[in-house]
Amino acid sequence: MIANNLPSPDKVIALCRSKGITDVRLFHPNTTVLAALQGSGLGVVLGTLNEDLSRLASDASFAASWVQSYVQPFAAAVRFRYIAAGNEVIPGDLATLVLPAMRNLESALRAAGIAGVPVTTAVSTSVLGTSYPPSQGAFSESALASVGPIVSFLASRSTPLLVNVYPYFAYADDPSSVQLDYALLQSTSAAAVKDGGVEYTNMFDAIVDAVYAAVARVVVSGDVEVVVSETGWPSGGGGEGASVGNAAAYVNNVVRHVGSGRGTPRRPGKAVEAFIFAVFNENQKPEGVEQHFGLFQPDMTEVYHVDFTAAGPSS
């Protein structure tokens, strides 16, 4: 929503429903949008502002007021999926605030009588120190001190970890080493990456399984599902590989892939939940590819077509 020319929330919700989109992610709380989502049936991942983490972590009354402002008034008519405390702040100066913020938000939800809304956080793949081969996935030393206890917290509650997965940036950073088809989920088994007894025909699965491997090194008991809370490909902006054709290929391939329910090589048959970034091109993002991740223009015309019905019941 970092743009000054977007349609009204009711029009956006109608657009999402007309395309078969079942769930949306809000990066920060917005009462106008939340009010419009009431009765829509859309699942909602609701994020906090990163700049609110300090108060959410240190002040239980602030967490309570946050829940009273952004969750409680809408809980009866909005299908909240997860509350995400912060986005991509691990590793970094705010990393140590995430878990106490999660705990305070969880307590505030419980005190408000709101059940069934798990609290988690969203991380980027920069939490990984090792990602290749996927079976050797491990959190970096700089991330582990924060993400380790968070993963244990999530495991004890059977709550997923949200992970932002971008093969595009891996490809754009090193196009001579990363095959475009591998990044776009359209390579063949002949070009697969072998990892022990399994093979990877796309980077999306390889990244997800590297995170699973990293989680498994931390979690002593229980399990933590990985939900892909962002993935996408820019349709323009001048970056390496940024084109309408590549964006259409990537997003449609991801939708079909997660919709197939095949899972990943590490977890065959375990469907991956994924959120596509983003609904709209955003004209107030930094110039370049960041302005061109949208599926739609602000006038709600398609940048390219996506068949969300291929995703099955959750997309």
Side-chain angles (χ1 to χ4, degrees):
M1 296 175 62
I2 304 177
N4 59 11
N5 56 355
L6 299 182
S8 61
D10 59 318
K11 290 181 179 177
V12 178
I13 292 164
L15 175 67
C16 289
R17 295 182 67 186
S18 74
K19 299 297 182 181
I21 294 170
T22 62
D23 297 72
V24 296
R25 179 181 175 194
L26 300 179
F27 286 83
H28 55 82
N30 181 308
T31 53
T32 303
V33 175
L34 289 166
L37 282 162
Q38 293 180 112
S40 69
L42 294 176
V44 178
V45 178
L46 180 62
T48 72
L49 290 166
N50 288 344
E51 50 263 44
D52 283 343
L53 283 173
S54 179
R55 291 185 67 190
L56 287 167
S58 63
D59 186 350
S61 65
F62 181 75
S65 67
W66 194 95
V67 168
Q68 289 162 9
S69 296
Y70 302 122
V71 183
Q72 197 165 13
F74 310 103
V78 172
R79 185 167 60 89
F80 286 108
R81 296 287 314 284
Y82 315 109
I83 304 297
N87 181 59
E88 297 189 344
V89 298
I90 305 170
D93 294 342
L94 302 179
T96 59
L97 302 174
V98 175
L99 184 55
M102 290 169 61
R103 292 187 185 279
N104 281 343
L105 285 166
E106 182 184 72
S107 296
L109 289 165
R110 188 184 304 118
I114 299 167
V117 183
V119 180
T120 183
T121 189
V123 299
S124 74
T125 50
S126 64
V127 296
L128 296 175
T130 303
S131 60
Y132 183 86
S135 63
Q136 299 304 304
F139 294 120
S140 68
E141 287 189 20
S142 60
L144 186 59
S146 298
V147 80
I150 288 169
V151 167
S152 297
F153 173 93
L154 296 174
S156 69
R157 290 153 174 79
S158 298
T159 296
L161 176 67
L162 309 185
V163 183
N164 301 335
V165 174
Y166 282 100
Y168 168 73
F169 289 112
Y171 169 75
D173 288 346
D174 193 5
S176 63
S177 299
V178 178
Q179 292 187 16
L180 180 59
D181 283 352
Y182 184 69
L184 292 175
L185 287 85
Q186 56 190 26
S187 63
T188 63
S189 59
V193 171
K194 307 294 194 295
D195 183 12
V198 300
E199 62 179 30
Y200 288 86
T201 59
N202 66 80
M203 185 179 285
F204 179 90
D205 282 351
I207 293 172
V208 171
D209 277 357
V211 177
Y212 270 124
V215 167
R217 297 179 193 279
V218 174
V219 174
V220 176
S221 63
D223 187 31
V224 176
E225 181 183 350
V226 171
V227 168
V228 177
S229 43
E230 287 180 46
T231 193
W233 195 284
S235 62
E240 182 75 35
S243 69
V244 171
N246 285 344
Y250 178 78
V251 171
N252 278 284
N253 287 339
V254 167
V255 169
R256 280 192 294 269
H257 183 56
V258 301
S260 72
R262 290 194 300 266
T264 65
R266 187 181 178 93
R267 295 199 171 197
K270 172 63 176 173
V272 177
E273 181 177 13
F275 289 79
I276 302 298
F277 183 88
V279 178
F280 294 106
N281 283 338
E282 298 168 279
N283 68 351
Q284 292 182 318
K285 282 281 189 76
E287 288 190 13
V289 297
E290 293 289 344
Q291 295 188 357
H292 295 273
F293 273 87
L295 308 181
F296 300 93
Q297 302 287 4
D299 65 2
M300 298 198 295
T301 58
E302 293 181 339
V303 177
Y304 51 88
H305 180 68
V306 179
D307 178 14
F308 278 102
T309 62
S314 181
S315 57

